[in-house]
Amino acid sequence: MSTTREVVNTIIEAIQEKKGHSIVVADLRKIITAPCEYFIVATGNSPQHVDALTYSVEEMVRKTHGEKPAAIAGQENAIWEAMDYGNIMVHHLLPDAREHYDIEHLWQDAHLEIIPDLD
């Protein structure tokens, strides 16, 4: 059985494989009211790119850890797609939506891990 952090690392790898960028991992484990343990946010350049990021995460996590998301929201417009893995939430957004909603800063007490872009 995979640890939560192993799944987080696979999600990061899947996003990077499809050239997702500006990845931030918010560690929410010390926040009692948080809805999950980890909150991962990444940017895609177009609706098609946002879709590709979601598909890459879904496939790589399924193949590597045998887990499927409980739900995926936002695929109808691909401006902001959210994946619910229970203890991990993954968000792929277009640049304007990410700037507008600034969701990685919803929890001020969260430790934010900035993942360097590969390119």
Side-chain angles (χ1 to χ4, degrees):
M1 179 173 234
S2 303
T3 67
T4 301
R5 187 61 210 204
E6 288 171 335
V7 177
V8 167
N9 291 341
T10 299
I11 291 167
I12 292 166
E13 182 182 343
I15 294 168
Q16 289 177 325
E17 183 177 278
K18 293 297 179 188
K19 307 287 189 228
H21 56 92
S22 305
I23 303 168
V24 174
V25 178
D27 184 342
L28 307 177
R29 292 176 294 168
K30 293 183 180 178
I31 301 173
I32 296 169
T33 58
C36 58
E37 294 180 28
Y38 292 94
F39 203 78
I40 302 170
V41 184
T43 301
N45 299 322
S46 67
Q48 294 82 4
H49 191 209
V50 168
D51 267 341
L53 295 175
T54 298
Y55 180 77
S56 180
V57 169
E58 185 176 21
E59 285 300 299
M60 194 174 286
V61 170
R62 183 183 55 78
K63 288 178 182 174
T64 306
H65 305 285
E67 293 188 32
K68 295 180 181 181
I72 299 175
Q75 291 181 297
E76 59 280 348
N77 61 22
I79 293 169
W80 176 354
E81 293 187 9
M83 307 176 78
D84 180 356
Y85 281 96
N87 53 355
I88 305 167
M89 293 290 298
V90 184
H91 298 267
H92 303 127
L93 296 95
L94 291 177
D96 288 347
R98 179 147 182 200
E99 184 179 334
H100 178 75
Y101 292 106
D102 192 28
I103 62 173
E104 59 261 43
H105 294 105
L106 288 175
W107 293 275
Q108 293 179 344
D109 297 336
H111 169 73
L112 298 182
E113 179 184 356
I114 311 300
I115 307 299
D117 292 343
L118 292 182
D119 49 356

